[in-house]
Amino acid sequence: MTITNNSDASASAKTIIQITGMHKWYGEFHVLKDINLTVLKGERIVVCGPSGSGKSTMIRCINRLEEHQRGKIIVDGIELNDDLKRIDRIRREVGMVFQHFNLFPHLTVLENCCLALIWVRKMPRKKAENIAMEYLARVKIPEQAKKYPGQLSGGQQQRVAIARSLCMSPSIMLFDEPTSALDPEMIKEVLETMIELAESGMTMIVVTHEMGFAKTVADRVIFMDEGQIIEENDPESFFSAPEHDRTKLFLSQIM
Amino acid sequence: MIKNNGFLPALPPPSTSVGVIGWLRQNLFPSPLNTVLTILAIYLIYLVTVPTVSWVFLNADWVGESRNACTSGGACWVFVAARFDLFMYGFYPESEYWRINLAFAILALLLVLLNIRQVPRRGWLAAFTLIGYPVVAFYLFSGGLFGLDEVETSRWGGLSLTLVLSGVGIVASLPIGIVLALGRNSQMPIVKAVSIVFIEFWRGVPLITVLFMSSVMLPLFLPEGTSFDKLLRAMIGIVLFESAYMAEVVRGGLAAIPRGQYEAAKALGLNYWKSMVLIILPQALKLVIPGIVNTFIALFKDTTLVLIIGLFDLLTTIEAGFKDSNWLGYAVEGYVFAALIYWIFCFSMSRYSQNLERKLHTGHAR
Ligand SMILES: Nc1ncnc2c1ncn2[C@@H]1O[C@H](COP(=O)(O)OP(=O)(O)OP(=O)(O)O)[C@@H](O)[C@H]1O
Ligand SMILES: [Mg+2]
């Protein structure tokens, strides 16, 4: 393989996240038990499982919103540990979208998007605003730029949150139940935005119960229960022929 | 007037179509009991208002030079007028009053400019008001350089001293309070412990003790011969005392910010200080504006306690005024005047804070 030939195969073969033997406790409570997960560049992974199974905790470990106690997490070649510099570098690589959007209510939509560019990337304001407008256009709400988050609908807020993360040009995007706080008619607009993002080749880990999204977008579906990864498969096999009883039970409950 | 009598039950707002009579009937005389209460309330208001108005205005004496001018039996405002300079400037030399006037004129101008949206570079102006202006004001007040005569702090007094004390207290206690609040929430055990001890110590002692200790005890601990200014010591005492209160107010605001805000800031790569300054504090401080202003108002009035260490603030100069044998017996006029001045300042602060809250509201409504 030549260096200049950056073919799809070579790009997607690259491991971008590697979690090996990861454990986490909250005090006495063993939340995550021996998590092993390898994510390739450009892969789209959907994580599902019953409430309290540790899905959020797992993806929050990837950008150090939670600390793991045992095992290894390597993101884009950087191993996560207590070193603040590394945590900083990883957070620049990893964008995150939350269930409750977590927009900054005292700043306008545009300021929400520019903030990190200006203060983390040290970009001049004008340039940051241009980039922010570009991404707001991509999530189809450039006309709301001057409004405050409190003046937008839930779906619009979540799209702003996606744009805000994308502004930092992350190589990985984490989504923690991005649509579960939304009314049904708004879920669609957010899912469409996420599908477009997936089509652009972004590496994505999505915790969601939207099985339609999993079927159309995911390369792999991961099922978690009681802090463990129980099953991991391509969406077709996962939905048509789940191996484990717990997976079957879960699927029968949500479908 | 009737609106304030406090006896009225809370009713839905009157519809505009019913007119004055309808409104009266609906709100003041809807039932026999309410009618009785309304009449009783009006009678009470009458009982209080009529003598007050006649004492303050109708029977009052306004012009004159000495107590001989006060013959009408009402308030003797001649006293306040004759001693007005003392109340405003204390024992500051009369020829130098312009310096104090100038200092407050500059401050008023800055405050006005800061509240006009169209003024360019308001950020810098605010920074100047907080950092540059105190230096200018200090120079104007104390002089001693560049051709201005020195005026020792022992000659400062009256309303200007009250404003200096409370201004310094307000401007310094907020940032110190914020730092203490952050310290108390800190993950670092030493920082946390120091903040807690500091806050609990200063909250636990009465201000009057703090002032007394700063003027009587502190010199005992300092090496022989070092003296530092009594006013400065009082200021330091007030600032430390108030910043402990402020810290707890700010901490209340910090506690009200949802965890998601911290997480979103972290996930974007903002470090601790950046997320505090850019994300958390602006929201937390906005939430506790009423508490902050409440503390400011309390501080403003608490400065009267400096009288126990012999500083002549507004209230003390007024008391000195009516203890003067020329004006014996006009204590009521003095206290009413003091109350009026304090009320004007406190009420303005309160209105300003409401105004600010409204301006900073970014609409969770709609
Ligand atoms: N800060 C915490 N302290 C203690 N226990 C926690 C904490 N956060 C989460 N847990 C517990 O850890 C477990 C996993 O939580 P997590 O939020 O990861 O679940 P989840 O799979 O995302 O569930 P959901 O679908 O409800 O979001 C739960 O039992 C939860 O009660
Ligand atoms: Mg969750």
Side-chain angles (χ1 to χ4, degrees):
Chain A
M1 177 175 53
T2 62
I3 298 161
T4 47
N5 181 8
N6 193 8
S7 72
D8 246 344
S10 71
S12 64
K14 191 178 164 239
T15 300
I16 195 160
I17 300 176
Q18 179 142 37
I19 303 178
T20 37
M22 191 248 285
H23 290 256
K24 173 166 180 64
W25 286 264
Y26 282 122
E28 291 288 290
F29 178 49
H30 200 168
V31 227
L32 294 178
K33 302 164 190 162
D34 192 28
I35 301 288
N36 292 286
L37 179 66
T38 303
V39 182
L40 303 181
K41 195 163 172 46
E43 238 189 335
R44 291 156 310 236
I45 293 182
V46 163
V47 183
C48 60
S51 181
S53 56
K55 308 177 298 290
S56 304
T57 311
M58 182 182 78
I59 68 165
R60 288 155 59 86
C61 283
I62 295 172
N63 66 348
R64 236 327 139 123
L65 290 184
E66 303 288 351
E67 205 173 311
H68 62 285
Q69 276 93 35
R70 204 193 294 166
K72 250 191 203 177
I73 301 177
I74 300 174
V75 181
D76 209 16
I78 309 163
E79 186 182 344
L80 258 180
N81 56 17
D82 287 335
D83 182 358
L84 287 177
K85 283 234 170 63
R86 289 189 189 195
I87 296 174
D88 255 12
R89 270 166 66 199
I90 286 176
R91 284 185 181 153
R92 287 173 192 220
E93 291 297 314
V94 181
M96 186 161 201
V97 174
F98 301 87
Q99 182 175 1
H100 297 286
F101 332 132
N102 296 353
L103 292 177
F104 306 131
H106 62 301
L107 301 176
T108 63
V109 164
L110 187 63
E111 287 164 344
N112 263 278
C113 293
C114 293
L115 186 89
L117 288 174
I118 294 171
W119 293 96
V120 180
R121 291 235 192 275
K122 309 270 188 287
M123 201 176 270
R125 178 173 292 272
K126 262 257 116 38
K127 199 170 157 207
E129 284 182 354
N130 289 338
I131 293 179
M133 284 312 292
E134 201 177 292
Y135 281 104
L136 286 174
R138 228 173 108 179
V139 301
K140 306 201 177 62
I141 33 177
E143 72 283 358
Q144 312 283 8
K146 294 276 177 252
K147 287 197 183 162
Y148 286 95
Q151 300 168 315
L152 303 186
S153 75
Q156 291 173 323
Q157 290 193 46
Q158 192 60 296
R159 284 186 284 151
V160 172
I162 294 173
R164 179 176 72 177
S165 289
L166 290 179
C167 282
M168 294 294 282
S169 43
S171 45
I172 303 160
M173 286 285 287
L174 308 174
F175 293 83
D176 190 359
E177 308 204 28
T179 55
S180 50
L182 295 176
D183 294 337
E185 69 268 26
M186 294 172 192
I187 292 180
K188 199 165 145 263
E189 64 186 55
V190 171
L191 287 181
E192 273 166 10
T193 309
M194 290 170 62
I195 290 170
E196 265 174 43
L197 185 63
E199 282 164 354
S200 75
M202 176 67 74
T203 312
M204 294 163 73
I205 302 182
V206 184
V207 176
T208 185
H209 292 146
E210 292 294 329
M211 290 307 143
F213 176 81
K215 279 176 189 162
T216 48
V217 174
D219 296 312
R220 242 188 312 157
V221 181
I222 287 175
F223 177 72
M224 287 184 74
D225 195 13
E226 297 183 347
Q228 282 172 307
I229 296 181
I230 304 281
E231 189 163 347
E232 190 176 343
N233 219 332
D234 62 278
E236 201 151 317
S237 328
F238 182 85
F239 290 111
S240 58
E243 282 168 26
H244 287 264
D245 290 345
R246 276 192 269 177
T247 321
K248 283 177 199 158
L249 181 66
F250 176 74
L251 287 176
S252 72
Q253 279 166 349
I254 63 163
M255 299 287 253
Chain B
M1 242 204 287
I2 288 163
K3 252 178 20 196
N4 293 332
N5 67 13
F7 287 89
L8 292 177
L11 285 177
S15 60
T16 45
S17 59
V18 288
V20 179
I21 306 278
W23 185 89
L24 285 176
R25 185 170 299 155
Q26 200 179 8
N27 289 285
L28 300 181
F29 309 104
S31 68
L33 176 65
N34 276 353
T35 306
V36 171
L37 286 178
T38 300
I39 292 170
L40 194 69
I42 291 173
Y43 179 64
L44 281 176
I45 292 171
Y46 169 83
L47 276 189
V48 175
T49 317
V50 171
T52 308
V53 168
S54 81
W55 185 79
V56 174
F57 298 105
L58 304 179
N59 290 330
D61 293 293
W62 299 87
V63 282
E65 292 296 314
S66 70
R67 61 187 304 145
N68 298 332
C70 294
T71 50
S72 319
C76 178
W77 298 125
V78 179
F79 160 59
V80 172
R83 292 319 195 102
F84 192 75
D85 284 352
L86 176 73
F87 298 165
M88 295 296 117
Y89 306 100
F91 304 112
Y92 210 82
E94 198 171 341
S95 60
E96 308 293 322
Y97 283 174
W98 65 270
R99 285 158 51 175
I100 295 184
N101 294 342
L102 181 61
F104 284 115
I106 297 175
L107 179 63
L109 179 70
L110 285 171
L111 291 181
V112 168
L113 286 179
L114 280 175
N115 283 290
I116 300 177
R117 241 171 228 282
Q118 290 79 18
V119 173
R121 297 181 196 278
R122 282 200 300 172
W124 289 107
L125 204 59
F128 174 77
T129 309
L130 289 177
I131 300 158
Y133 173 75
V135 177
V136 174
F138 177 76
Y139 169 67
L140 282 173
F141 266 78
S142 66
L145 281 173
F146 310 122
L148 284 189
D149 289 342
E150 185 176 349
V151 181
E152 286 143 27
T153 56
S154 55
R155 306 188 66 177
W156 303 9
L159 178 62
S160 47
L161 181 74
T162 294
L163 291 177
V164 166
L165 278 170
S166 47
V168 169
I170 284 170
V171 169
S173 68
L174 184 59
I176 298 178
I178 290 172
V179 170
L180 285 170
L182 293 177
R184 193 164 187 170
N185 280 351
S186 167
Q187 310 277 343
M188 291 178 275
I190 308 242
V191 174
K192 192 183 174 96
V194 168
S195 309
I196 291 179
V197 169
F198 183 96
I199 291 169
E200 295 306 339
F201 173 79
W202 289 102
R203 275 205 316 171
V205 285
L207 181 57
I208 205 158
T209 322
V210 174
L211 291 172
F212 192 69
M213 289 205 313
S214 76
S215 89
V216 181
M217 306 275 287
L218 200 61
L220 299 180
F221 296 120
L222 291 174
E224 196 86 20
T226 46
S227 75
F228 80 105
D229 198 83
K230 199 194 314 188
L231 178 61
L232 183 64
R233 279 177 300 181
M235 274 179 187
I236 293 175
I238 290 176
V239 166
L240 295 181
F241 181 85
E242 296 295 340
S243 56
Y245 277 89
M246 202 55 82
E248 289 300 280
V249 173
V250 174
R251 195 166 67 100
L254 290 176
I257 303 300
R259 220 170 57 143
Q261 294 290 310
Y262 293 85
E263 291 176 350
K266 271 192 196 170
L268 283 171
L270 295 167
N271 63 22
Y272 174 81
W273 285 108
K274 283 178 189 163
S275 44
M276 282 301 154
V277 171
L278 298 168
I279 309 296
I280 307 301
L281 283 174
Q283 296 182 60
L285 293 179
K286 192 178 99 183
L287 277 178
V288 294
I289 288 173
I292 292 175
V293 174
N294 210 20
T295 311
F296 284 169
I297 288 175
L299 185 159
F300 185 73
K301 292 186 289 189
D302 281 352
T303 56
T304 50
L305 292 174
V306 296
L307 79 95
I308 70 137
I309 58 171
L311 290 176
F312 279 77
D313 76 320
L314 174 61
L315 192 66
T316 321
T317 47
I318 290 176
E319 285 183 337
F322 62 66
K323 281 176 186 151
D324 176 346
S325 55
N326 292 328
W327 293 103
L328 272 180
Y330 293 116
V332 179
E333 283 83 347
Y335 284 127
V336 167
F337 179 68
L340 178 71
I341 301 279
Y342 279 103
W343 183 83
I344 288 173
F345 278 95
C346 295
F347 185 68
S348 323
M349 281 195 261
S350 142
R351 293 313 299 215
Y352 183 74
S353 94
Q354 284 170 24
N355 192 353
L356 200 61
E357 271 179 85
R358 222 172 302 125
K359 222 161 46 184
L360 293 178
H361 185 72
T362 56
H364 307 279
R366 215 181 94 157

